[in-house]
Amino acid sequence: MDFGFDDTQQAVARLAGDVLAGQADPESAWKALAQAGLLALAVPERLGGDGLGPVEVAVLLAETGRVAAPLPVLETLALGVLPLARHGTGDQCERLLDGVVAGNRVLTAGTRGEVTVSGDRVSGTLVGVRYAQRAHRVLVPAGEHVYLVDPADATLTATGTSGGEPECTVTVRGVAAERVDGAAADLRRLALAGACALGGGLVAGALALTAGHVRGREQFGRPLATFQAVAQRIADVYVGVRTLHLATWSACWRLGAGRDADADADADADADLDVAAYWLAQEAPPVMEACHHLHGGLGVDAGYPLHRFSSATKDLVRFVGGVEHRLARLADRIAG
């Protein structure tokens, strides 16, 4: 099985890396992504996009993670554009994706919480909804379908995060919401795939930062990288990074190749996603801890860039439900 990128995916990675490397301010970076056409990746061609799929979006998310850029790429593309492009009607896509290409519209989804539906009315509470304050619509899965909630009709309560990116508890009471038929399961798959791709980029970026540090930092007249204990520790980090990478791209490949067209293929995609999400929740935090440790005293400096990676990783692990939840999902799958 070859998870190497094709020419288009390589071009997306190079362009995203170049754009994000030159932008320090999040607003400028978001506009730069739009100007480079990267926010249009999954938007249908008839609406001015490229009509690409989950793998290309995952490539962009991985590059976003490599620089720990606090941008609503996961929310807008993986949680918003992809589910709508794959399941929405032509009219829904035309109305809801207008403005995404130019970077003027943010979308998000509330995948955790208790929701009930009566007719076209949605009630309930959603927790940990990322970028809800900026979103044009919040996609809410309930049963087999997804409902489109206008944040202006909801009560938004800001909640704290490790990385500082905006997040809310969203409460709705009998709010009228448009329905996207049959999109709920796919939205959950795309949310996990996108989170794992972003997390894979975060740990890869932290590894690159740490490897550069131990190569350049000297102790007793020798680079830290030449010490056996340091080499062994960073090798363990590398194994964790590569395993998350492979688990993530296996899942994204299934979603992007259309392998989820029947029940058996859906089960295969879900199994891959459960493995990738568990690996993110279980192994990404120790990877970050090892990177901080290998930086020595510099690793505890809150102003050092490594803290952006570890803080974003903490939020992402919480987004996928935490290690106990992911382990329980795997256990249930193994138990049949």
Side-chain angles (χ1 to χ4, degrees):
M1 192 175 292
D2 180 11
F3 295 138
F5 293 158
D6 62 24
D7 291 344
T8 298
Q9 293 152 7
Q10 290 179 36
V12 170
R14 286 194 300 269
L15 180 59
D18 291 344
V19 169
L20 292 169
Q23 303 291 335
D25 175 67
E27 288 300 322
S28 298
W30 185 249
K31 292 177 182 177
L33 288 177
Q35 291 168 357
L38 290 166
L39 299 183
L41 289 178
V43 175
E45 293 182 63
R46 69 180 185 279
L47 301 178
D50 297 308
L52 299 175
V55 176
E56 290 76 22
V57 170
V59 170
L60 175 57
L61 284 166
E63 293 302 317
T64 304
R66 284 182 190 276
V67 295
L71 301 170
V73 180
L74 169 65
E75 296 73 23
T76 299
L77 298 191
L79 305 184
V81 174
L82 276 173
L84 288 169
R86 286 158 71 100
H87 297 277
T89 65
D91 177 66
Q92 286 173 332
C93 289
E94 187 171 347
R95 286 185 290 105
L96 296 167
L97 301 186
D98 179 44
V100 169
V101 173
N104 298 325
R105 179 166 288 178
V106 169
L107 300 168
T108 191
T111 57
R112 292 179 291 150
E114 299 275 340
V115 175
T116 59
V117 179
S118 178
D120 65 346
R121 299 278 172 173
V122 177
S123 299
T125 300
L126 304 162
V127 298
V129 183
R130 297 158 65 100
Y131 286 91
Q133 301 100 319
R134 289 182 56 182
H136 176 66
R137 289 291 185 274
V138 178
L139 282 71
V140 179
E144 297 180 357
H145 310 300
V146 164
Y147 295 83
L148 304 169
V149 172
D150 186 341
D153 297 330
T155 300
L156 306 183
T157 304
T159 51
T161 62
S162 294
E165 292 185 70
E167 187 177 289
C168 282
T169 295
V170 177
T171 304
V172 289
R173 297 182 177 87
V175 170
E178 186 177 359
R179 191 175 81 183
V180 182
D181 291 335
D186 206 29
L187 169 59
R188 293 189 179 95
R189 293 187 188 104
L190 292 164
L192 283 183
C196 290
L198 180 60
L202 287 167
V203 295
L207 172 61
L209 189 65
T210 305
H213 173 77
V214 299
R215 282 196 302 266
R217 186 86 167 189
E218 290 191 358
Q219 194 170 42
F220 306 116
R222 297 167 52 195
L224 287 175
T226 63
F227 289 89
Q228 186 178 34
V230 172
Q232 289 174 338
R233 193 93 199 270
I234 205 163
D236 290 339
V237 171
Y238 176 79
V239 170
V241 170
R242 287 297 297 168
T243 305
L244 177 57
H245 172 87
L246 292 173
T248 297
W249 293 111
S250 174
C252 290
W253 174 78
R254 287 191 186 277
L255 291 175
R259 297 298 180 97
D260 56 342
D262 56 58
D264 289 340
D266 280 352
D268 290 341
D270 288 338
D272 280 358
L273 286 167
D274 280 342
V275 170
Y278 169 71
W279 197 264
L280 171 65
Q282 174 67 33
E283 297 299 329
V287 162
M288 291 298 176
E289 290 171 10
C291 289
H292 279 286
H293 184 206
L294 287 165
H295 274 84
L298 192 59
V300 298
D301 181 356
Y304 187 67
L306 184 58
H307 276 268
R308 299 203 317 269
F309 293 89
S310 56
S311 297
T313 298
K314 290 177 183 177
D315 290 330
L316 208 55
V317 168
R318 184 167 46 82
F319 175 77
V320 301
V323 65
E324 291 84 3
H325 171 68
R326 299 317 322 175
L327 183 59
R329 288 295 302 266
L330 276 178
D332 289 343
R333 184 172 300 282
I334 292 170

